[in-house]
């Protein structure tokens, strides 16, 4: 910062604050943003696009946390549909985590390239279980196991409800090929849509002259594609999905299964990322899987961020102890106030690697502050918890009749115990059990669909960009990042009460 010529962005003050003093001990509630003149007439078209890694941008720079009370397949799917991304947690067996990823990867694209099939002769009972496990409502039936030759289609509506029919074969209920409307493998989306409308059908299997299966198009996927142009998708049109791995034990085996299931990015997530264990884990993954995108965390200092970049992270996750389910700071004294940590990390690595701010977001304004002080994306846990898409059941408080869901830190005793039951034993779990908990379980109000929360966040972020005087988040970041102190107003205790107490 050139101190001699320093002034606030609007020239209100010319005395530069001391940089270290400005940031030390500061977090989200310590600042407001100076409103800037805007020429934009509407906020609706404001872009909040931002980089997840150097090669992947998100239309909404929000990432759902890899916690067992936040992200499974349902949350990851919703996140990607809204332009963000979800990280499927690892507190479950390898097979189950991989199948959650596979559900997301299959759930939206105009053409499902490898639709799930069952062979003719399969009992209804098994087909029902198969549909439920894979989150699908229609199953292609092939003539024999592995033949890839279409025999018919069994939809939810064809599946009988009486238990007496459970052992009968799918053949008795499916629509046979002779009565199915099908498309050619290279059919256009428009033509497929026309056919589906004309015949009032929900699914269009794609087959060649020998009835070999080449894909499946569903009406829902076509509708979703049109409604959500900003959805996060890979080059084949499938929703993007990330997944977490650990840094020890079976992590390479887990990574292999997740990548096989289609995971686009892996998150190596450990409490103290600035460590030899992280370095070994990244080397192990790079050695086995080459350039697979890796988001590594967590760190809370500039030195930690530089370390992550230098060992080859594609994005650095910043945050030690700010999370709502965390007790790390209380139990160990380790941590750096979150906005300070984000700024330190950014000053250390600049734009050489994107920073993901993780934890401590209580209100939507915190997301904007994180993004203009150095983060490219923001990971949310509790802010997305309590929703329909978050794993776990809705519980009712018997006294107040209020509906609630559980939210818990991944090192809370409850999460550690459940992981142990679900994924069997491993070195990593033994280590977790040896370590006293640094997480806690709390009840949060039930909040319905996460969609309304994500729409609200997008709207508030667009408004913040407008107050920043620009029509893209990228432009505000470019203007503010070199010296946020010119744009931020430090708050006194009285100003904090004036701003936040309602
Ligand atoms: P928020 O504030 O969004 O934070 O709920 C989510 C982040 O909290 C971290 N996390 C933990 N940190 N002990 C910790 O110290 C834990 O048990 C724990 N579980 C989750 C994690 O980074 C998450 O994204």
């Amino acid at each position: 910062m050139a101190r001699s010529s320093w002034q606030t962005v609007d020239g209100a003050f010319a005395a530069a604050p001391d940089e270290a003093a400005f940031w030390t001990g500061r977090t989200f509630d310590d600042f407001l943003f100076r409103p800037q003149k805007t020429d934009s007439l509407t906020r609706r078209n404001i872009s909040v696009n931002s980089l997840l890694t150097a090669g992947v941008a998100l239309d909404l720079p929000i990432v759902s946390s890899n916690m067992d009370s936040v992200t499974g397949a349902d949350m990851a799917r919703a996140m990607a549909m809204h332009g963000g991304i979800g990280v499927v947690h690892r507190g479950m067996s390898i097979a189950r985590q991989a199948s959650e990823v596979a559900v997301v990867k299959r759930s939206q694209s105009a053409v499902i390239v490898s639709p799930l099939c069952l062979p003719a002769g399969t009992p209804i009972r098994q087909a029902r279980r198969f549909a439920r496990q894979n989150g699908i409502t229609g199953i292609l039936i092939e003539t024999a196991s592995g033949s890839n030759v279409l025999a018919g289609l069994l939809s939810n509506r064809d599946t009988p409800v009486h238990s007496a029919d459970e052992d009968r074969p799918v053949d008795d209920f499916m629509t046979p090929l002779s009565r199915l409307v099908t498309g050619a493998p290279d059919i256009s989306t428009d033509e497929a849509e026309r056919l589906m409308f004309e015949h009032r059908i929900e699914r269009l299997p794609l087959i060649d002259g020998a009835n070999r299966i080449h894909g499946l198009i569903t009406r829902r996927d076509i509708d979703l594609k049109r409604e959500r142009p900003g959805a996060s998708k890979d080059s084949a049109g499938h929703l993007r999905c990330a997944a977490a791995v650990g840094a020890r034990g079976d992590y390479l085996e887990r990574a292999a299964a997740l990548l096989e299931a289609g995971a686009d990015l892996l998150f190596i997530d450990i409490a103290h990322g600035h460590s030899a264990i992280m370095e070994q884990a990244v080397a192990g993954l790079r050695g086995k899987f080459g350039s697979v995108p890796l988001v590594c965390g967590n760190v809370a200092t500039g030195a930690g961020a530089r370390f992550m970049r230098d060992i080859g992270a594609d994005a650095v996750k910043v945050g030690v102890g700010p999370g709502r389910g965390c007790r790390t700071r209380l139990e160990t004294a380790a941590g750096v106030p979150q906005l300070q940590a984000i700024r330190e990390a950014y000053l250390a690595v600049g734009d050489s690697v994107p920073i993901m701010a993780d934890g401590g977001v209580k209100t939507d304004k915190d997301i904007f502050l994180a993004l203009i002080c150095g983060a490219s994306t923001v990971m949310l846990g509790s802010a997305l918890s309590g929703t329909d898409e978050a794993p776990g059941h809705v519980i009712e408080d018997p006294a107040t009749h209020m509906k609630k869901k559980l939210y818990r830190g991944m090192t809370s005793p409850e999460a550690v115990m459940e992981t142990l039951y679900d994924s069997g034993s491993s070195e990593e779990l033994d280590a977790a059990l040896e370590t006293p908990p640094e997480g806690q379980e709390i009840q949060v109000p039930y909040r319905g669909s996460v969609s309304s929360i994500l729409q609200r966040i997008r709207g508030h972020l667009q408004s913040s960009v407008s107050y920043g005087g620009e029509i893209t988040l990228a432009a505000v970041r470019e203007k503010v990042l070199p010296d946020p102190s010119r744009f931020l107003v430090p708050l006194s205790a009285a100003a904090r009460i004036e701003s936040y107490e309602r």
Side-chain angles (χ1 to χ4, degrees):
M1 237 183 273
R3 294 285 159 187
S4 55
S5 61
W6 193 97
Q7 55 180 15
T8 51
V9 59
D10 38 19
F13 302 109
D18 171 73
E19 186 162 15
F22 187 84
W23 294 105
T24 301
R26 303 286 181 243
T27 192
F28 301 121
D29 281 358
D30 287 317
F31 299 105
L32 290 177
F33 181 79
R34 282 177 178 278
Q36 304 295 300
K37 176 175 184 265
T38 176
D39 295 323
S40 152
L41 300 177
T42 163
R43 296 175 187 190
R44 212 170 325 131
N45 298 329
I46 286 178
S47 157
V48 294
N49 194 286
S50 191
L51 288 182
L52 174 64
T53 63
V56 176
L58 294 179
D59 198 59
L60 179 69
I62 302 295
V63 182
S64 69
S65 193
N66 47 293
M67 300 172 73
D68 68 356
S69 52
V70 180
T71 311
D74 289 348
M75 180 65 80
R77 184 169 178 279
M79 292 302 298
M81 298 273 289
H82 283 268
I85 195 164
V87 190
V88 175
H89 72 91
R90 63 184 167 97
M92 53 184 136
S93 69
I94 293 177
R96 196 170 137 213
Q97 191 187 12
S99 96
E100 301 263 313
V101 169
V103 165
V104 182
K105 294 305 295 180
R106 251 197 318 274
S107 60
Q108 187 205 355
S109 66
V111 179
I112 301 166
V113 184
S114 310
L116 293 174
C117 299
L118 281 178
T122 305
I124 284 292
R125 178 196 311 280
Q126 198 180 325
R128 198 195 300 280
R129 199 180 324 125
F130 183 78
R132 203 174 41 237
Q133 275 167 353
N134 292 291
I136 56 175
T137 54
I139 308 170
L140 294 187
I141 306 298
E142 53 187 354
T143 49
S145 182
S147 72
N148 203 35
V149 173
L150 188 64
L153 177 96
L154 183 81
S155 78
N156 263 3
R157 264 179 294 171
D158 304 325
T159 313
V161 287
H162 298 298
S163 52
D165 295 322
E166 291 281 277
D167 292 320
R168 289 175 61 188
V170 288
D171 317 42
D172 292 355
F173 301 95
M174 69 184 188
T175 308
L177 177 59
S178 56
R179 285 199 281 119
L180 270 182
V181 181
T182 59
D186 59 352
I187 193 169
S188 69
T189 310
D190 285 349
E191 174 60 8
E193 200 175 9
R194 196 190 57 72
L195 263 181
M196 291 165 86
F197 177 73
E198 202 175 293
H199 296 274
R200 304 290 192 272
I201 51 171
E202 295 292 316
R203 295 174 193 80
L204 185 73
L206 307 183
I207 54 173
D208 61 19
N211 297 340
R212 272 190 303 265
I213 301 165
H214 286 258
L216 175 71
I217 296 184
T218 75
R219 163 152 299 288
R220 193 183 73 159
D221 289 338
I222 289 183
D223 290 348
L224 289 176
K225 196 177 170 197
R226 186 160 303 127
E227 278 168 26
R228 303 213 175 269
S232 304
K233 291 190 205 148
D234 63 19
S235 54
H238 300 274
L239 289 179
R240 284 191 199 276
C241 181
V245 297
R248 302 196 260 204
D250 57 14
Y251 79 105
L252 288 175
E253 196 190 321
R254 189 175 284 273
L258 295 168
L259 293 171
E260 174 70 26
D264 299 275
L265 293 94
L266 295 181
F267 277 54
I268 316 181
D269 181 68
I270 57 177
H272 188 13
H274 194 175
S275 61
I277 294 174
M278 176 61 77
E279 191 168 3
Q280 284 163 15
V282 171
L285 286 164
R286 287 272 177 250
K288 202 152 179 210
F289 308 107
S291 60
V292 53
L294 297 178
V295 180
C296 303
N298 278 16
V299 294
T301 62
R306 224 177 286 117
F307 166 83
M308 289 296 199
R309 179 197 57 194
D310 295 345
I311 62 172
D314 295 287
V316 178
K317 201 144 74 75
V318 171
V320 171
R324 184 138 180 237
C326 305
R327 296 188 58 82
T328 302
R329 293 180 185 174
L330 288 164
E331 317 292 11
T332 71
V336 175
Q338 183 65 350
L339 204 60
Q340 178 184 347
I342 293 166
R343 189 63 193 164
E344 276 192 34
Y346 183 76
L347 288 174
V349 299
D351 294 319
S352 62
V353 60
I355 290 166
M356 181 179 298
D358 175 17
V361 167
K362 295 195 297 294
T363 56
D364 296 349
K365 61 126 174 92
D366 301 345
I367 298 172
F368 181 64
L369 289 173
L371 292 168
I372 57 165
C373 290
S376 285
T377 54
V378 180
M379 178 174 255
L380 303 180
S382 51
L384 306 174
S385 66
T387 55
D388 290 328
E389 292 80 357
H393 299 293
V394 178
I395 45 182
E396 192 174 298
D397 185 323
T400 61
H401 298 291
M402 290 247 308
K403 290 189 168 152
K404 301 196 168 168
K405 282 184 93 163
L406 293 179
Y407 172 71
R408 61 194 187 189
M410 283 303 282
T411 64
S412 63
E414 296 85 355
V416 171
M417 282 316 288
E418 203 167 301
T419 306
L420 188 63
Y421 280 122
D422 198 7
S423 59
S425 182
S426 77
E427 270 174 51
E428 205 184 10
L429 282 165
D430 291 345
L433 286 170
E434 273 166 27
T435 319
E438 289 176 23
Q440 63 185 19
E441 180 174 282
I442 53 174
Q443 291 187 352
V444 292
Y446 165 65
R447 296 189 290 165
S449 167
V450 79
S451 286
S452 52
I453 293 176
L454 294 173
Q455 276 160 9
R456 187 202 69 211
I457 289 175
R458 179 185 286 277
H460 285 158
L461 209 43
Q462 287 173 319
S463 295
S464 298
V465 168
S466 169
Y467 279 113
E470 301 291 343
I471 54 166
T472 66
L473 173 63
V476 182
R477 289 184 80 242
E478 197 180 321
K479 187 162 80 178
V480 178
L481 277 176
D483 186 1
S485 66
R486 295 176 63 231
F487 293 82
L488 295 180
V489 186
L491 300 183
S492 66
R496 228 170 272 137
I497 292 171
E498 178 188 271
S499 304
Y500 308 133
E501 285 194 9
R502 292 289 177 271

